[in-house]
Amino acid sequence: MLPMPEVFQNRLPSALDPQSPRAQSNRTALVALLASLRAQEDTMRQGGGAKAIDAQHSKKRLTARERLSLLLDSPADFLELGLWAAHNMYTEYGGAPAAGVVTGLGRVCGRVCMIIANDATVKAGAFFPMTAKKVLRAQTIALENRIPTLYLVDSAGVFLPLQEDVFPDTDDFGRIFRNNAVMSSMGIPQITAIMGMCVAGGAYLPVMTDTVLMTEGSGLFLAGPSLVQAAIGQKTDPEELGGAAMHAEISGTVDFKEPNDHLCIARIRSLVEKMGHRSAVTASAHASSPTPEVFSRVPYDPTTDAPLYSADDLYTLINPDPTATNLYDMHEVIARLCDKSAFDEYKADFGRTVLCGCARIGGHAVGIVANQKINQKQADAASGVKKIEVGGVIYTEGAQKAARFIMDCNQNLIPLIFLHDVNGFMVGKDAEWSGIIRAGAKMVTAVSTSVVPKITVILGGSFGAGHYAMCGKAYDPRFLFAWPTARYAVMSGASAANTLAEVRAKQMERGGKVLTEAEKTTLHDEIRSTYDEQADPRYGAARLWIDAIIDPAKTRDILIAALEACALNPDVPRFNPGVLQT
């Protein structure tokens, strides 16, 4: 008689004690940090402030966020991107909260859409340098994922005092209109509603999209009345020059003229509700039926398929103090992100400071590449002797494993999620002899040539070349999110401060000044403070290096939303990794 077969089990166990003193201390610190961030975000969402909001209402116009509340099926589910853009920038001009534009993903009549809405309470919706870059980032996400895009235009055009930083370059204002044309050519629906001023070069945006709506009292013109008079001596009022009636009845530029914001938004929803869905056709040249979704997705029940452990436990893992040393098991994070906490770990006993494996999140199949933060015992390839490998560091074996796993996910059309808490690659004689540069190049090549969607989440440190290998911003992740505990720099603040303080002290000594120990300490602390400020995720998010700073407990929900967006693009190029170091 054959023995009873063993039951297959791939659910991750959890050894995390959320009630331990250290866990509770981490939770208290992180919750306090989150509260501070939320307060700052609430201020940003006020745009130009109460007076500017009143001024907008006096024109019988809604604010950008009021418009979104009417447009979206569920405003609470809006995944806002780039909220921190321009944070603490342009202070000499009074600042530009959220760069004067609201962008993000939301559902309109059940359809996932990218929303780009000018905030006229911030300098009349004028385009600062970061405004243009924020709109371009939103368009890039829409392009990569084939997301229908809705523009709510209410803008005075380029912010003239900074025109040289807004107008001419590849990733500046003009690229927006180029993207309009490219998106249209790719079959990505675009609808624009002019709900205020749309002036100068900005006037091209609505006309470059598929459908144009305009509310009464709005203006659309290449040059306003004052500029027209100065240029050609012609006197005209705004309504006659470029009002809704003129463009609806005479120029024929707008497709729908609407009396006010409310009815304009109702019209947008009616139009979106009638949009069809594009999908790839089968390989046969004569095929007429669409293929199923290209990435694997199974039916998903939010209750029965939820992780086995509470998402709130994620608050207990990391101490947000930049000086803290955080050692934790990354399996605990993965167990709180994946459906049923099930994870098929790849090469679990090899290259242990990098975790790789397959799972499902919200029914979507994913491959996960993550940094293990607990120190690991790993057998030396040459001697077989066990050695200690430092958590958060990428060693030769881990880089080789990750490269192979990334290639496997591309072969099998599995989207990739990268979970960062990385110090960088290992250095020293042993690492060099083991071929760390060659292995690192292999991993970077695999990430660079990967064709499946990639999503990056920075949990803790993301330093040096480790940031690159783990699909940093330069490696085209579809989305890049960060926890408030993220740190984002060439090296850690402590390492940078030690190095830079020593260099600065030697420079001073060569100039004839001998520093006392107290002066050296002061110099070190000043450098450390500046470096830590620049490594803070708010600094990176202000410059759009990060799409959003997210609540750790909401990571799973945000990943599900991002994966749904990625699945809208069924076109995956052939994977060709090129020449790999072997």
Side-chain angles (χ1 to χ4, degrees):
M1 182 175 177
L2 293 173
M4 290 293 291
E6 294 184 28
V7 177
F8 172 72
Q9 202 285 111
N10 65 345
R11 297 185 181 184
L12 291 171
S14 176
L16 178 64
D17 178 8
Q19 302 305 318
S20 71
R22 180 182 175 185
Q24 287 298 304
S25 175
N26 288 347
R27 178 192 294 274
T28 299
L30 184 50
V31 167
L33 176 56
L34 276 170
S36 173
L37 292 175
R38 286 169 180 152
Q40 289 179 281
E41 290 176 345
D42 288 344
T43 300
M44 293 174 195
R45 291 190 175 100
Q46 294 300 309
K51 287 186 178 180
I53 292 172
D54 289 343
Q56 181 78 348
H57 289 163
S58 71
K59 300 172 187 173
K60 297 184 179 179
R61 296 175 188 161
L62 300 175
T63 66
R65 294 184 185 278
E66 289 168 342
R67 289 165 177 164
L68 262 61
S69 70
L70 294 175
L71 177 65
L72 298 169
D73 297 347
S74 174
D77 294 334
F78 180 58
L79 176 54
E80 184 162 0
L81 304 171
L83 174 59
W84 289 84
H87 173 61
N88 283 344
M89 298 172 70
Y90 314 124
T91 53
E92 65 274 33
Y93 301 106
V101 63
V102 182
T103 63
L105 296 176
R107 289 191 181 274
V108 178
C109 297
R111 188 76 174 260
V112 175
C113 294
M114 174 63 74
I115 316 294
I116 300 174
N118 298 116
D119 185 350
T121 70
V122 179
K123 303 293 187 297
F127 273 69
F128 286 76
M130 292 307 300
T131 314
K133 287 176 170 52
K134 182 171 174 178
V135 172
L136 288 171
R137 175 59 183 156
Q139 287 184 319
T140 298
I141 292 171
L143 272 163
E144 290 177 337
N145 300 294
R146 310 293 192 267
I147 305 171
T149 302
L150 310 178
Y151 304 86
L152 307 184
V153 176
D154 193 349
S155 171
V158 170
F159 185 67
L160 292 178
L162 295 174
Q163 67 84 26
E164 76 276 13
D165 296 320
V166 183
F167 173 70
D169 211 345
T170 306
D171 58 347
D172 283 346
F173 192 56
R175 187 79 171 183
I176 294 171
F177 317 132
R178 175 265 184 195
N179 285 350
N180 290 141
V182 171
M183 290 167 71
S184 185
S185 74
M186 294 170 67
I188 302 170
Q190 297 175 89
I191 297 175
T192 299
I194 303 164
M195 310 178 83
M197 289 299 103
C198 188
V199 184
Y204 286 109
L205 185 149
V207 188
M208 298 288 288
T209 62
D210 307 330
T211 307
V212 185
L213 300 85
M214 189 171 181
T215 59
E216 294 178 3
S218 296
L220 171 65
F221 26 67
L222 289 179
S226 298
L227 187 55
V228 167
Q229 184 173 357
I232 63 174
Q234 185 181 72
K235 292 185 178 181
T236 182
D237 65 68
E239 186 63 31
E240 182 185 20
L241 181 64
M246 190 283 288
H247 282 302
E249 300 170 19
I250 299 174
S251 77
T253 301
V254 302
D255 305 311
F256 298 91
K257 181 186 74 171
E258 304 298 341
N260 53 48
D261 284 9
H262 292 79
L263 294 177
C264 185
I265 289 169
R267 179 79 69 183
I268 295 172
R269 288 182 55 83
S270 180
L271 294 171
V272 172
E273 188 266 335
K274 297 173 180 66
M275 284 181 182
H277 292 264
R278 290 184 181 271
S279 56
V281 296
T282 56
S284 168
H286 304 290
S288 58
S289 60
T291 61
E293 187 173 323
V294 69
F295 305 114
S296 173
R297 185 180 186 184
V298 298
Y300 161 71
D301 185 304
T303 302
T304 59
D305 294 327
L308 302 179
Y309 316 105
S310 172
D312 285 352
D313 294 344
L314 296 174
Y315 294 141
T316 70
L317 290 173
I318 300 178
N319 183 344
D321 185 340
T323 65
T325 299
N326 289 292
L327 300 179
Y328 59 93
D329 188 347
M330 186 62 82
H331 290 101
E332 300 287 2
V333 176
I334 296 170
R336 287 158 178 81
L337 299 181
C338 301
D339 296 355
K340 299 179 181 179
S341 300
F343 181 60
D344 297 307
E345 187 165 356
Y346 176 84
K347 295 184 185 289
D349 299 321
F350 181 74
R352 296 182 182 185
T353 62
V354 179
L355 301 180
C356 300
C358 293
R360 289 191 183 273
I361 298 179
H364 299 268
V366 297
I368 295 174
V369 181
N371 305 112
Q372 174 60 285
K373 287 296 290 182
I374 295 177
N375 297 342
Q376 300 290 308
K377 286 186 177 180
Q378 181 72 52
D380 181 76
S383 65
V385 175
K386 293 275 187 176
K387 60 181 180 180
I388 298 295
E389 293 190 341
V390 179
V393 175
I394 302 176
Y395 290 79
T396 299
E397 297 86 354
Q400 291 172 338
K401 175 173 80 172
R404 172 62 187 273
F405 177 72
I406 291 164
M407 289 190 287
D408 284 355
C409 286
N410 277 270
Q411 184 77 358
N412 295 306
L413 293 177
I414 301 174
L416 285 158
I417 292 175
F418 294 82
L419 303 177
H420 287 218
D421 199 343
V422 58
N423 298 339
F425 285 91
M426 190 58 188
V427 297
K429 186 177 74 172
D430 290 346
E432 299 293 356
W433 285 20
S434 72
I436 186 66
I437 296 175
R438 188 173 70 250
K442 187 185 300 184
M443 184 176 177
V444 171
T445 297
V447 172
S448 303
T449 58
S450 176
V451 294
V452 296
K454 297 172 289 191
I455 301 171
T456 296
V457 185
I458 304 175
L459 283 61
S462 187
F463 299 122
H467 172 76
Y468 303 152
M470 291 293 293
C471 195
K473 185 65 183 288
Y475 292 81
D476 300 320
R478 299 280 184 94
F479 298 91
L480 195 157
F481 304 111
W483 285 9
T485 48
R487 290 291 177 270
Y488 195 172
V490 171
M491 63 180 74
S492 68
S495 298
N498 291 337
T499 302
L500 293 172
E502 184 177 344
V503 170
R504 190 84 57 82
K506 287 182 178 178
Q507 288 174 338
M508 291 180 176
E509 287 170 359
R510 283 197 296 269
K513 179 176 176 56
V514 179
L515 297 180
T516 66
E517 287 303 315
E519 288 173 329
K520 288 181 180 179
T521 300
T522 300
L523 178 62
H524 176 279
D525 292 345
E526 287 175 354
I527 294 172
R528 174 72 184 261
S529 176
T530 300
Y531 204 88
D532 283 341
E533 179 185 346
Q534 293 177 353
D536 188 287
R538 285 166 284 197
Y539 188 92
R543 289 151 182 82
L544 294 174
W545 304 338
I546 294 166
D547 291 318
I549 301 173
I550 63 174
D551 183 334
K554 295 181 179 178
T555 305
R556 173 176 162 83
D557 294 336
I558 288 170
L559 286 175
I560 291 173
L563 288 164
E564 287 178 353
C566 292
L568 296 175
N569 179 6
D571 299 324
V572 182
R574 185 174 71 88
F575 178 53
N576 180 13
V579 177
L580 281 173
Q581 289 284 346
T582 57

